[in-house]
Amino acid sequence: MAAEDVIVDKLVSFWRIPGSKRYFPWIFLLISVMGSLLKELQMVPETYFSSSRNILNLYFVKVSWGWTLLLLTPFVLLSNSSFSRDVSFLTRRLLALPIATAIWYTFTETFFYIEDATGSCYETTAMDVLKDEFTIKSTCRRAGFHWFGYDISGHSFILTYSALFIMEETAPMGYLKNANMSTFPRMVLKFLYISLNGLVFLWVWMFSCTSVYFHNPFDKLLGTLCGLLGWYGTYRVWYLKPLSPGLPQKPKEEQKQRT
């Protein structure tokens, strides 16, 4: 058995552990609360990851949605086409990607709007000289000043939402071992699956760093809850309905057993 097959089998086995998917969303709430507590008690020492200039934050987290779509789009196409080549089915399933992107965009733009609407521009971090000619964060920061507004944690939101989005859309991998696929697409699918799981691990790690090093407790909790809301509203409510992209496909034999 090739090394990639061993890794895929172990990852599939992990996600099949009873409760792994059920309790995974709760991990983000737990980390957010515990991380915030550790930060407030100043119990975590400064490290490389306490700087927002660390390489993982600059080149992965700040473009996390791009990484998620880059790897997940071909996976969703390949995995779902192994179940059916019907164009309407594939189109419907692929709609999960622009819908998720719309959710990401709506939440992040709302966060930006709230920060602009509730903030003010100051000359220094001491907030002693108000620069009222600047009414939004972007122009204030470009002028070299400091903006103070209500800053909901976008990192907490996007890392939670991205990890749960990947978890849901990679679920069919456990049923694709015996799928009728040629060698190259199967190899690509394995590579994408391993990479996406690596991305989930990275998102959880960087979420933990955000929790212990940045933002106020309520800012992080609210961002996390928004990520959970985006996931729950789609994969636990809307996608169970007929007029939706539907949940990731499973073999017809298993579907018959459940009906």
Side-chain angles (χ1 to χ4, degrees):
M1 183 179 291
E4 64 271 16
D5 292 318
V6 174
I7 297 172
V8 168
D9 285 345
K10 289 187 177 297
L11 290 171
V12 168
S13 297
F14 169 77
W15 288 114
R16 281 183 169 176
I17 295 173
S20 61
K21 290 184 178 179
R22 180 184 306 171
Y23 298 117
F24 185 57
W26 294 99
I27 288 176
F28 292 97
L29 281 176
L30 179 63
I31 293 174
S32 183
V33 172
M34 295 303 297
S36 296
L37 180 61
L38 292 173
K39 180 179 183 293
E40 294 304 305
L41 295 175
Q42 299 182 337
M43 296 179 65
V44 181
E46 296 290 310
T47 69
Y48 174 71
F49 293 102
S50 59
S51 169
S52 61
R53 303 295 298 174
N54 75 77
I55 192 169
L56 293 182
N57 187 59
L58 290 175
Y59 297 106
F60 285 90
V61 177
K62 286 188 177 296
V63 287
S64 54
W65 193 245
W67 280 108
T68 298
L69 288 183
L70 178 67
L71 294 173
L72 198 54
T73 300
F75 183 90
V76 171
L77 180 59
L78 281 172
S79 61
N80 284 281
S81 62
S82 69
F83 291 109
S84 174
R85 298 297 178 89
D86 180 69
V87 174
S88 62
F89 165 74
L90 292 175
T91 301
R92 185 165 59 89
R93 279 274 50 246
L94 285 169
L95 279 174
L97 298 165
I99 288 172
T101 300
I103 291 171
W104 159 76
Y105 182 81
T106 300
F107 273 105
T108 53
E109 287 299 311
T110 301
F111 296 165
F112 292 146
Y113 175 79
I114 290 172
E115 189 174 10
D116 281 343
T118 60
S120 297
C121 185
Y122 293 90
E123 189 171 312
T124 68
T125 55
M127 301 174 64
D128 47 1
V129 180
L130 179 66
K131 309 294 290 186
D132 54 9
E133 65 266 33
F134 300 104
T135 58
I136 59 175
K137 180 180 178 179
S138 58
T139 56
C140 173
R141 295 286 294 272
R142 277 199 298 270
F145 301 126
H146 304 271
W147 186 266
F148 292 92
Y150 189 72
D151 184 17
I152 301 172
S153 177
H155 278 33
S156 294
F157 160 72
I158 191 58
L159 295 174
T160 299
Y161 185 57
S162 293
L164 294 174
F165 183 38
I166 293 171
M167 178 194 74
E168 293 290 353
E169 289 297 336
T170 56
M173 191 64 186
Y175 308 102
L176 294 173
K177 295 179 182 179
N178 301 318
N180 184 22
M181 300 177 67
S182 57
T183 302
F184 182 70
R186 186 183 297 275
M187 181 178 66
V188 172
L189 199 63
K190 291 176 183 176
F191 168 78
L192 290 170
Y193 183 70
I194 294 170
S195 300
L196 283 163
N197 274 273
L199 211 56
V200 169
F201 175 80
L202 178 59
W203 294 163
V204 173
W205 168 252
M206 294 307 292
F207 180 89
S208 302
C209 292
T210 297
S211 297
V212 298
Y213 289 126
F214 304 101
H215 290 282
N216 294 323
F218 189 70
D219 300 341
K220 289 176 286 192
L221 182 60
L222 186 54
T224 303
L225 289 172
C226 287
L228 291 170
L229 177 62
W231 159 74
Y232 189 88
T234 49
Y235 288 92
R236 293 297 180 268
V237 180
W238 182 23
Y239 289 3
L240 301 179
K241 310 296 183 182
L243 295 177
S244 75
L247 294 174
Q249 191 76 358
K250 293 181 180 179
K252 293 181 180 179
E253 293 77 8
E254 179 170 317
Q255 293 179 15
K256 289 178 180 178
Q257 291 175 5
R258 294 191 173 190
T259 56

